[in-house]
Amino acid sequence: MGIWAAVPLAIWFFLAVEGVPLAAEEAKDPVKSLPRGLIGSMLILAAFTLLILFLSAGAMGADQIKDSGAPLVDALVAVYGQNAWVAGFVNFVGLAGLVASFFSIIYAYSRQVFALSRAGYLPSALSLTNKNHAPTWAIVIPGVIGFILSLTGEGDLLILMAVFGATISYVLMMLSHIKLRISRPELPRPYKTPGGMITSSIALVLACIAVVAGLMVDPKVWFMAALIYAVFIVYYLVYSRHHLIAGTPEQEFASIQQQD
């Protein structure tokens, strides 16, 4: 059960790396830069994850490190002492990393909300921009919702819900990749996944295992996430599917490329 409980938190190490493609419209050469960004970020995260996992447990011991709120810092303190400058430095770097991730999350959710609103899936007011061309409401409204949720004191539950939602999206993405490879083999693919559908199938199985892990850790997370999904599905069926915009910038770019 401990292994299953660790799966959602292990995914947290890599959560939101899929936010890199959100910068596709701003990239000069997304065909080359986005794969490099994704692959490079995953390799860096994997390296640091393994280093922290083995070095922190090796320095302090698994029994002591399991209850630590800052395992890497506590491991350094155990080795070098309470007043070691390296522990304070790592602690500062960790806090700076949290601030950096905070702003990256703001960018990610605002970009997603803006794109969905622009295409008609969400209210059009969320895609309005100010004089600096920033989607003001797409930044402010989700931020207010997130701030209110942070006041609940249910940090562990929110993390599990975020991971659970991410794993559901991973399942859907892998299924979409497999379906498009079968139904639309003629689509231009500047970057092809190594291994093709075999890689996607393996990732699909792993994503399903992660979904099951979330259910085993806390079934309440599944029901709460399912309720949120149900609300958005009903919203789509009742409202947004009747207000979809046929000529979004994505479709216009695709038409221009086909004409060229």
Side-chain angles (χ1 to χ4, degrees):
M1 189 60 196
I3 296 175
W4 284 102
V7 170
L9 296 179
I11 294 175
W12 189 255
F13 277 111
F14 301 90
L15 193 67
V17 70
E18 65 274 11
V20 173
L22 295 175
E25 289 188 19
E26 289 78 16
K28 292 182 178 179
D29 190 358
V31 172
K32 293 183 179 179
S33 58
L34 293 187
R36 291 173 182 172
L38 278 168
I39 295 172
S41 59
M42 286 190 289
L43 291 176
I44 292 171
L45 288 172
F48 276 101
T49 300
L50 292 173
L51 286 172
I52 293 173
L53 175 65
F54 286 102
L55 295 181
S56 59
M60 194 174 178
D63 288 336
Q64 289 75 28
I65 210 72
K66 65 181 182 181
D67 297 323
S68 172
L72 189 57
V73 175
D74 290 342
L76 291 170
V77 170
V79 174
Y80 296 106
Q82 188 68 39
N83 297 321
W85 68 269
V86 66
F89 175 75
V90 170
N91 199 20
F92 174 79
V93 171
L95 292 174
L98 289 176
V99 174
S101 64
F102 173 73
F103 286 108
S104 65
I105 291 172
I106 291 176
Y107 172 77
Y109 77 62
S110 63
R111 201 71 182 81
Q112 290 176 323
V113 171
F114 172 76
L116 289 171
S117 171
R118 186 173 60 181
Y121 291 98
L122 292 176
S124 58
L126 293 174
S127 57
L128 296 178
T129 58
N130 59 16
K131 62 179 181 180
N132 296 318
H133 307 291
T136 310
W137 293 116
I139 296 173
V140 173
I141 292 180
V144 170
I145 295 173
F147 177 74
I148 293 173
L149 291 175
S150 70
L151 299 178
T152 61
E154 297 289 343
D156 292 341
L157 181 62
L158 292 174
I159 288 176
L160 286 175
M161 288 186 64
V163 171
F164 188 79
T167 53
I168 291 294
S169 71
Y170 298 157
V171 170
L172 296 175
M173 282 189 283
M174 295 308 107
L175 289 173
S176 300
H177 181 264
I178 294 171
K179 179 185 181 301
L180 286 173
R181 279 294 185 94
I182 296 173
S183 63
R184 300 292 299 277
E186 78 286 354
L187 283 177
R189 292 178 170 89
Y191 175 81
K192 294 185 178 181
T193 304
M197 288 191 295
I198 296 176
T199 303
S200 299
S201 300
I202 295 173
L204 175 61
V205 172
L206 294 174
C208 291
I209 292 173
V211 172
V212 174
L215 294 176
M216 294 181 65
V217 173
D218 192 347
K220 181 173 62 175
V221 172
W222 189 91
F223 292 110
M224 295 180 67
L227 178 61
I228 294 173
Y229 277 108
V231 169
F232 279 108
I233 290 173
V234 171
Y235 174 81
Y236 170 77
L237 294 175
V238 173
Y239 179 81
S240 62
R241 72 188 180 102
H242 302 296
H243 296 81
L244 297 182
I245 298 172
T248 61
E250 294 88 348
Q251 295 172 334
E252 294 290 342
F253 292 146
S255 299
I256 293 173
Q257 289 178 348
Q258 289 177 357
Q259 293 174 3
D260 293 341

